[in-house]
Each structure stands twice: as structure tokens, then as C-alpha cells.
Amino acid sequence: MPTITLPDGKTKTFPGPVSGRQVAESIGPRLAKDALGVKIDGKLADLSAVIDRDAKVSVVTYKQRDGSVDPDALLLVRHSAAHVMAEAIQRLVPQAQLVYGPPLPTGFYYDIRFPDNRPLKESDFAAIDAEMQKIIAEDRPFTRYDLDASEGMLKLTGEGNKYKVDNALRALAPHDAPEKGIVSKVVTEQTAFGAGLAMNLPADAKLSFYATGTPGRNWEDLCRGPHVPSTGRIGAAKVMSLASSYWHGDENSDRLTRVYGTAFGSQAELEAHQQQLAAARERDHRVIGKQLRLFHIDEMVGQGLILWAPAGAVVRQELQTFISEELRKQGYFQVFTPHIGKLDLYRTSGHFPYYKDAQYPPVVERETLDALASEGCSCGELANRLDKGDISGYLLKPMNCPHHIKIFASQQHSYRDLPVRLAEFGTVYRWEQSGEIGGMTRVRGFTQDDAHLFCTEEQVGPELLGCLSLVKTIFGVLGMKDYRVRVGLRDPDSKKYIGEARNWDKAEQACRDAARTLGVPFSEEPGEAAFYGPKIDFVVKDVIGREWQLGTVQVDYNLPVRFGLSYIGPDNAEHRPVMIHRAPFGSMERFCGVLIEHFAGAFPTWLSPEQARVLPISDKSNDYAQKVLGALKAAGVRATADCSGDRIQGKIKSALEWKIPYLLVVGPRDAESTSVSVRVRGQDKDAGSMPLDAFVAAIRREITERSASLSAMPG
């Protein structure tokens, strides 16, 4: 007799096992009609999922009580739409072999291996969309069925899709990734999983499949689920784009086609999303960055590695100068650390080997490599010995915190010294999968406006507030007023977190208390904490409604323990400091990419690579143009003069393409009166004339005040 506890605390007891759908029906017919799935003890499941024990259950509907879309519902819709898209594609290209297709925050994708003589093209999108609409209109149920491991593997090997066999092997034995050779052998020989492999699995091991309709008659796929009740509950779905990918992200493995799509609960939401994407394309930082010569990515340098061009370097340097001024006000000390460190440093911090898949491979000393080669050491054995710590080496730093910890530990500290605030614009390196790299917002090398604060436990609250005020100052100056706060907590059921539970409890409460002071909504999200501590993330909504996770603040009781940090307290005994990690910008690359799109390249004057351009109407005014240029430069304004032989209309057209805040048109009359005719970005005609010294003073004031608007105009 399972007892079901509902979100409002009320309970319902059933005489026997009960499905999620029956729970919804017991609450009310309207809820049962709207239900898309259920959460059982926090885990998302189908409505058909059977509950045979006491559990906390919530029913998932597309809209929440406040009218917003439930993220869990959207995940169900999009995961289901991925199946619908895969079925539609296989109707058009029956030889297409499916690999995997997860939901995403913005939609979903399916990696597919297409035959060489029938690649998928954008010209196929209309046909795929039409087939998807047919499947959605048929309103076929998503039907789950489970098979014993051996029976399920027999089914998959009979289908001859090595990718699905690989998925099944990984699902059945997640800690023993199968070798490609074994996968190919299983498929080629049609072996029903093999007695040797089956012996290593639990006796009750099963594989789950979902049919879009009736098993054995309609389309089906190996899948863990969950899904919406039927295809008709998807609402609206569309194929969006194509990209290249590789099996398991391995560039030396099979090349796949990644087919992206998206889905919503209604056609109106899909159309609104498409309008937002159209606006986003006009603001694409990769396109604008190339047009304005802000940055460059070169294949010879490497994917995900940004080359900052002079104009982009101005934007970055201005941001760094701005935050450096704020840091000095708050008592930070600037430090510099190397781009590389010994593996033992990251073994102690916990970054290696537990997160090695997200890091560049270790660098082993040449003498050690030569000795290992002479011993016949294989690459696999080398990797194992590195993981175990039998071999030393170096690592491109994935984080700045271990280096800052060592600076703090390099001398003894008294409680009177605390807090110690160390800041650095430190470059770190992460091995992002090639299919996930994109422009400046997802890169392999990036610079963090990083800082680490070492304080007493009593100082945690005030220091957190100081960190949050810094983030608010930055967002305020940049005009980013629409943001929310996310408090990332540990998942009690996960083993990825280090440290004692009591310290986690204190750190999480400190984050909650600090978040409440911000005066904006905040959510708590279990499982989103860093491995060493909880965090406060700032999620900013840009001018076209997209959300970006930017600044972050983290409370850490654990790394000070792992590194044995201490300070001398008022009792003359050693005490453990608490560590706060904070990065208001996060990644400078990502932040600048977001800024480019937020402003569509039309930066406020203080950030603009070129703040003013002088345009003489003819060669006769070139001398005066140079005088105006000199006055601007003397005042610290980034300015140029176009003294080319082009006509003034051509000069204005060219200057507008560079999104310069102010154009100063000068002619004989301006020279006589020592004035300039001002044209303001975003206006179709001259704003009027003003004395040169008045304009210089006005633009200088606008730059110094870091104004978000263009205020240096006549009047």
C-alpha cells in the first residue's frame, strides 16, 4: 500500500502499485488531462511509471501555476520530439543509422550516420518537417517496454546498428566502456551479447525501448526515457540546422551528422522562438566580431582559442581596467600565476584525475617519456599510471584556485590579516568537445576575472555581500538590469562532492542568506554546486530575451582542508580559513561574446574601440580635421580622421559600418568657428553643431562616467 506525498504535503494511500497517471487522476480530471509526466522522489518519469513504494510525487504539466513553462515539461516534449524527428528522417533515408539524441536547453539533436551516397541536406528540412507534423497529428502513444539484457542485445545485434549496441553496452555496464572492436564483433557475428559479457551483469539487467505507437508494428528506439504520453502532446517541432560531429566526440572515429531541432507546446511559441533566432542571427558575435575586426579564430592556432585583434583588445582592456578599479576599492591584491602547474597540485585540489576528460592531456617530462618508451610502456598504461600518481607531470591549468591557495600558504597569517583577497586575470584551459565549441562563448582557452578570498567563518557573510555588490555594479554600468540568481547546491545522492556534510550545510546557508539580499528572484538547484562548494550564479537576460550564465560566487570549506591551510587566531592556535571563489565576468571571452550580441556591436562610448571619427567634407578641411583629431587624442579619446579623397556621403557610410558612437563632420564654417557638426550613432542626420572644446569635454565626461547612453551631443 504505497503512500504518495504530494508537493503540498498532503498524502494519498493506494491499495497497491499505482501509475503516475493514476496519481494524477486521483487528484482531479483537469490535472490528469494536462499531465505530461511525473517526478518520483525528484526523478522525472513517464505517466505510465509504476510506483510500488512510499514516495514523493509531483505531476508535471506544461505550464506552472505562475504561467511559466515548466523546464521538466519542456525536456519531456523535446526528448519526445527527438524520437519523432528520427522517425521522420528514417522515413526519408531508411539506411540512416541512429546514434544518440538528447534534449538540450534550446531544443534537441540526434547524431546520425548517413550513407555516403545519401547525406542529409538543408533541402531535406521541409520534407522532414512535413513527416514530423504527420506523426504529431497521428497522436500515437509513446510505449515503453523492457527486455532482459540478452534478449535486448539479440534484438539490437539483429538490427546491425553498432552505435545502438555500443549504447546498450554502456547502459548495462556504465563503468566498463566497451572497446570499438568488441562492439563491431558483437554486431558482425550476431552474438546475443556473449556469455562472457553477460556474466559481468546483474541477473535482472534490462534494456528499455520506446515505440511510437505499438511495439513491433510502429517505429521504436533504444531509450531510457522518459517521454510525453503521446506524439500529439508535443505541440510543435521543427528541424533547425546541421553540424558535423564524431562518435563519442573522438575526431579519429566515425564522422556523424548532428541534426538539430526544437520543440514547444504550441505553434505560437515555436514562431516566437524563430523570431528570436532571427534577431539573434543579426547580433551573432561571430559575424559582428569579424565585421568589426574584434577577434579571430584560426584553424592553424586551434579550435576554441581566441586571437584578440586590436579592436577587441580595447574592449577587453577597458573591462579589465573598470573591474580593477573596483577591486582596489574593495582591498584586493593583484597576483600573477603561471599557465601550467605540476599534476600533484591538481591531484591535491581534486581536479585531476577526476575531471581529466575536461582537461588537456598532462605534459610528461621528456626524460620520463624516453624511459617509459624504452620499457615498452603503452599509451593506455601511461594514462593509468598518470591517474594513479605513479608518474609525475604538468597540466595546463584548468583553474586558478590551486595557484592562489599556494600564494596564501606561502606565509603565515594572523586573524588580523584576514580577509586576504587575491585577484588575477588568469587564463585557464579546458578540453571542450569539438562539436560544442562555438565562437567566444564556448572555448578551450579563456581568461577569468578570478579572485579568491581567504577569511574567517564569521567573515563569510560580509565577504559574500561584497562579492555580490561587485557583480551588481558591473551589471548596472553595462545596463544589464534583467537577471536572476541561481543558488547551486549539492545533490545528496551524488558522490562527486568532497568534504564534510556539516561544512556543506554552513556554506549552502551562507549562499542562501546572501542571495536574499539581492532583491531579485533566486532559485535553488540541487546538483549544480561545484565539487568543492555551493555557488551563486547570475543568469542575465539580454535585449532579445536570451539567458546567459555570467558571474559566479562560490563558498568553499573543502579546498582549505585539502591543502592544510591555516591562520593563527586570537587564541594563538591554528584555525582553518574559509575560501570564497568569485568571478563577476566569468570568462572574459564569453562575457565579451555576450556583450557583442547584447549591444549588437554598438558598444557604449567608453567601451567602443573607436569612439569618434572626424570626417572633413573636402580636402580643404583636412588641416582642421587633424586639429580636431589632435584635441580628441589629447583628451584621451580613441579617434581617427578620414582624410581620404572619398565624398562625404561615402565617408559617412563607411564610418556607420564601424558602429562608431560619434561622427564629427567638419567644413570651412566649422573651422572658422572652431566647432564640429555632430552625428550620433543611431540617428539618420546630424544632431547639430557645437564648439569643439564643448564636445571634447562632453565625450570625455561620458567616457569617465562610463555612461551607458550617448550623451555628448549638441544642446
Side-chain angles (χ1 to χ4, degrees):
M1 297 179 63
T3 297
I4 304 302
T5 303
L6 302 174
D8 61 2
K10 294 180 180 178
T11 60
K12 286 179 173 288
T13 301
F14 294 85
V18 61
S19 70
R21 180 177 284 104
Q22 289 171 318
V23 172
E25 290 170 347
S26 74
I27 299 172
R30 175 64 183 271
L31 181 64
K33 180 181 178 182
D34 292 342
L36 294 177
V38 290
K39 293 189 83 169
I40 305 171
D41 289 333
K43 186 176 181 180
L44 197 59
D46 301 320
L47 278 177
S48 60
V50 175
I51 309 165
D52 57 4
R53 66 186 191 282
D54 293 351
K56 294 180 180 179
V57 176
S58 59
V59 179
V60 177
T61 57
Y62 192 73
K63 290 292 182 71
Q64 302 182 101
R65 289 188 175 183
D66 62 2
S68 63
V69 176
D70 187 330
D72 288 323
L74 206 52
L75 183 147
L76 287 168
V77 167
R78 288 171 173 172
H79 190 189
S80 304
H83 279 227
V84 170
M85 184 183 75
E87 178 180 357
I89 288 173
Q90 286 196 314
R91 284 183 179 182
L92 295 176
V93 189
Q95 305 88 353
Q97 290 192 311
L98 305 178
V99 186
Y100 24 64
L104 299 169
T106 56
F108 57 87
Y109 72 80
Y110 219 118
D111 278 352
I112 303 174
R113 178 66 183 267
F114 288 94
D116 293 338
N117 62 354
R118 181 55 174 96
L120 198 70
K121 301 177 181 178
E122 289 189 2
S123 57
D124 294 314
F125 285 6
I128 296 171
D129 284 340
E131 291 299 323
M132 289 171 68
Q133 295 311 312
K134 290 178 185 176
I135 297 168
I136 291 172
E138 289 167 6
D139 197 23
R140 286 187 268 132
F142 281 93
T143 308
R144 175 180 174 135
Y145 67 95
D146 295 339
L147 297 177
D148 291 338
S150 57
E151 188 180 0
M153 290 303 300
L154 180 61
K155 169 182 168 61
L156 292 173
T157 54
E159 293 171 357
N161 183 336
K162 70 176 182 180
Y163 307 109
K164 291 298 179 180
V165 169
D166 177 73
N167 292 349
L169 290 173
R170 291 172 184 271
L172 292 167
H175 301 297
D176 299 308
E179 296 179 7
K180 295 173 187 174
I182 292 177
V183 173
S184 299
K185 180 179 176 64
V186 170
V187 173
T188 303
E189 297 185 1
Q190 298 283 292
T191 58
F193 193 42
L197 289 172
M199 286 174 60
N200 297 324
L201 296 173
D204 60 350
K206 294 182 180 295
L207 291 171
S208 58
F209 296 80
Y210 278 82
T212 313
T214 304
R217 188 176 74 185
N218 294 111
W219 186 91
E220 55 188 65
D221 194 11
L222 174 74
C223 182
R224 289 193 179 99
H227 290 283
V228 296
S230 65
T231 60
R233 302 299 298 277
I234 291 173
K238 184 175 181 59
V239 185
M240 301 301 293
S241 61
L242 300 175
S244 293
S245 64
Y246 298 92
W247 193 19
H248 297 312
D250 182 355
E251 297 179 10
N252 298 314
S253 189
D254 296 2
R255 192 179 184 92
L256 308 172
T257 299
R258 179 163 292 179
V259 188
Y260 286 97
T262 194
F264 291 89
S266 68
Q267 185 65 30
E269 288 174 283
L270 176 59
E271 291 173 0
H273 176 69
Q274 289 180 278
Q275 291 173 0
Q276 185 185 78
L277 288 179
R281 281 192 291 271
E282 293 180 1
R283 294 171 174 268
D284 191 329
H285 74 278
R286 293 165 296 185
V287 176
I288 294 174
K290 187 174 183 179
Q291 291 173 345
L292 301 184
R293 300 177 188 174
L294 298 172
F295 68 94
H296 177 60
I297 300 172
D298 194 292
E299 284 296 321
M300 187 172 285
V301 175
Q303 285 190 329
L305 300 174
I306 304 299
L307 299 173
W308 293 82
V314 168
V315 178
R316 171 172 167 165
Q317 187 59 58
E318 287 293 335
L319 289 170
Q320 291 186 190
T321 300
F322 164 45
I323 194 171
S324 294
E325 292 174 3
E326 297 300 321
L327 294 181
R328 282 193 288 273
K329 295 176 186 176
Q330 290 197 11
Y332 282 79
F333 296 101
Q334 190 78 34
V335 298
F336 298 92
T337 61
H339 292 240
I340 193 168
K342 292 185 70 173
L343 277 177
D344 284 345
L345 180 69
Y346 304 107
R347 289 191 178 107
T348 301
S349 70
H351 292 100
F352 187 87
Y354 305 109
Y355 297 90
K356 66 176 184 178
D357 290 344
Q359 299 165 4
Y360 275 81
V363 178
V364 180
E365 292 180 355
R366 185 176 290 107
E367 294 80 0
T368 303
L369 282 177
D370 290 343
L372 291 170
S374 66
E375 297 171 8
C377 179
S378 67
C379 291
E381 184 182 352
L382 173 62
N384 288 334
R385 292 174 70 175
L386 283 166
D387 290 354
K388 294 176 181 178
D390 298 337
I391 299 174
S392 186
Y394 290 82
L395 193 68
L396 283 172
K397 67 176 177 181
M399 300 288 281
N400 296 303
C401 41
H403 295 255
H404 291 188
I405 287 171
K406 283 300 183 181
I407 291 176
F408 177 84
S410 65
Q411 65 184 78
Q412 191 175 69
H413 293 277
S414 161
Y415 70 96
R416 294 187 178 90
D417 302 328
L418 273 54
V420 173
R421 307 181 185 100
L422 304 179
E424 176 182 17
F425 291 99
T427 303
V428 298
Y429 302 89
R430 310 278 175 83
W431 183 256
E432 300 284 359
Q433 298 293 336
S434 58
E436 297 175 342
I437 294 172
M440 299 182 84
T441 56
R442 197 70 180 267
V443 294
R444 286 176 171 166
F446 55 93
T447 301
Q448 293 178 307
D449 62 321
D450 219 350
H452 297 92
L453 294 73
F454 302 86
C455 61
T456 68
E457 198 165 298
E458 295 74 23
Q459 292 170 334
V460 170
E463 289 303 308
L464 276 179
L465 295 182
C467 293
L468 299 184
S469 70
L470 181 62
V471 178
K472 291 182 70 174
T473 296
I474 290 170
F475 289 170
V477 168
L478 292 169
M480 294 178 159
K481 300 177 182 178
D482 191 356
Y483 63 89
R484 62 184 176 86
V485 174
R486 180 173 63 205
V487 179
L489 308 174
R490 71 194 186 284
D491 179 355
D493 298 325
S494 175
K495 296 180 179 180
K496 86 170 189 177
Y497 304 102
I498 61 174
E500 298 180 7
R502 63 185 182 88
N503 286 336
W504 272 92
D505 291 341
K506 288 187 287 187
E508 289 179 341
Q509 191 58 48
C511 287
R512 291 188 186 97
D513 292 343
R516 290 191 183 100
T517 69
L518 291 169
V520 296
F522 76 90
S523 60
E524 296 184 10
E525 299 192 19
E528 290 300 314
F531 73 92
Y532 46 75
K535 60 179 181 174
I536 303 172
D537 290 332
F538 289 80
V539 183
V540 178
K541 184 175 288 187
D542 67 15
V543 291
I544 58 173
R546 297 169 302 175
E547 289 194 327
W548 303 90
Q549 192 272 307
L550 296 176
T552 186
V553 181
Q554 302 166 0
V555 180
D556 180 5
Y557 279 78
N558 294 310
L559 288 185
V561 174
R562 294 176 75 93
F563 281 93
L565 300 184
S566 66
Y567 67 91
I568 303 301
D571 57 359
N572 210 34
E574 289 191 348
H575 296 265
R576 190 79 68 196
V578 182
M579 188 174 172
I580 297 175
H581 309 241
R582 72 105 192 96
F585 289 147
S587 155
M588 295 297 293
E589 283 74 8
R590 178 181 175 83
F591 195 88
C592 286
V594 172
L595 276 189
I596 292 169
E597 299 195 1
H598 182 73
F599 291 118
F603 298 107
T605 304
W606 70 276
L607 272 179
S608 293
E610 187 175 351
Q611 296 164 325
R613 182 174 294 184
V614 187
L615 306 177
I617 62 174
S618 69
D619 292 347
K620 295 178 181 178
S621 299
N622 283 352
D623 288 344
Y624 180 61
Q626 291 298 329
K627 179 180 177 181
V628 172
L629 179 62
L632 292 168
K633 287 188 172 183
V637 179
R638 293 187 291 273
T640 62
D642 183 354
C643 295
S644 66
D646 200 1
R647 299 182 60 172
I648 188 61
Q649 291 84 357
K651 293 179 181 181
I652 292 173
K653 181 180 179 182
S654 175
L656 290 174
E657 293 174 353
W658 291 99
K659 302 181 185 287
I660 302 165
Y662 296 103
L663 306 182
L664 307 181
V665 180
V666 296
R669 291 183 181 177
D670 298 294
E672 290 176 7
S673 59
T674 318
S675 61
V676 289
S677 296
V678 183
R679 189 180 184 111
V680 183
R681 184 180 61 204
Q683 297 184 8
D684 294 333
K685 58 182 180 179
D686 289 350
S689 179
M690 66 187 301
L692 173 58
D693 57 354
F695 176 80
V696 171
I699 191 173
R700 186 62 233 163
R701 183 169 55 253
E702 183 179 317
I703 294 168
T704 302
E705 294 176 354
R706 295 191 172 98
S707 174
S709 60
L710 304 184
S711 56
M713 58 182 68

